[in-house]
Amino acid sequence: QLPGEGPLGPPVPWEAPLSWDSKVVPANLANVEIPAGRYIDLSTSRNVGSLVIYGKLRLLDVADISLSAASILVWGSLEVGRPQAPFLHNVLFTLRGTRTSETVIVNNNLFLGNKVMVGMGKIDMHGMRSATSWVRLNATAASGQRLLRLA
């Protein structure tokens, strides 16, 4: 069985100590791992070290949410809204670090760098439909141009 495969338990809130193997809610800047089979609901902003998801993390659409991490690696599932129930609040993912921050290594052949959000599993993000899905350019944009004129 690959990481992220298999049945999930019922959803449990991030804020509940019993949701975690340690029976303690992860502290600010702690490295967080959501194990296979675990289904965590997040309803408030969090600032973690690194985040590895083998089970499922679902962001609940009850408020704006910010999730800050050095890296986010999804082997299981990350859900922000669904097609039939789009996320109506704002979500901000912030990847922190410097050029010399620790490199995310998946295996001996896959070094991903740092400050990365990686989907090795399933990432579903569905938000409000935008009223405008495209805009016509007023003039041709040259390669490397930093200013665009819109119609």
Side-chain angles (χ1 to χ4, degrees):
Q1 182 174 338
L2 296 172
E5 291 185 346
L8 291 169
V12 293
W14 180 296
E15 298 80 10
L18 292 177
S19 299
W20 305 98
D21 290 342
S22 64
K23 307 298 184 245
V24 176
V25 176
N28 188 45
L29 296 177
N31 293 331
V32 176
E33 180 179 302
I34 298 175
R38 189 77 42 88
Y39 185 164
I40 300 286
D41 280 339
L42 178 63
S43 61
T44 60
S45 294
R46 292 291 166 179
N47 188 17
V48 300
S50 63
L51 174 61
V52 180
I53 304 168
Y54 293 105
K56 180 173 182 174
L57 176 62
R58 174 175 63 178
L59 277 60
L60 295 180
D61 192 14
V62 295
D64 292 350
I65 295 179
S66 173
L67 182 57
S68 175
S71 62
I72 300 172
L73 181 54
V74 181
W75 288 99
S77 177
L78 171 62
E79 179 185 300
V80 182
R82 296 185 317 262
Q84 65 274 26
F87 199 90
L88 302 179
H89 289 86
N90 295 310
V91 175
L92 175 65
F93 290 97
T94 302
L95 299 169
R96 303 181 316 276
T98 65
R99 181 171 158 74
T100 59
S101 294
E102 187 175 332
T103 297
V104 175
I105 302 170
V106 175
N107 64 36
N108 288 336
N109 297 315
L110 192 53
F111 290 68
L112 301 177
N114 55 38
K115 302 178 297 289
V116 295
M117 180 174 184
V118 181
M120 304 296 276
K122 182 177 182 182
I123 299 176
D124 267 335
M125 293 188 191
H126 302 274
M128 281 190 296
R129 285 203 169 275
S130 175
T132 304
S133 61
W134 61 276
V135 174
R136 189 175 299 277
L137 291 176
N138 196 33
T140 300
S143 177
Q145 188 173 343
R146 296 181 64 156
L147 178 64
L148 301 175
R149 299 200 185 277
L150 305 178

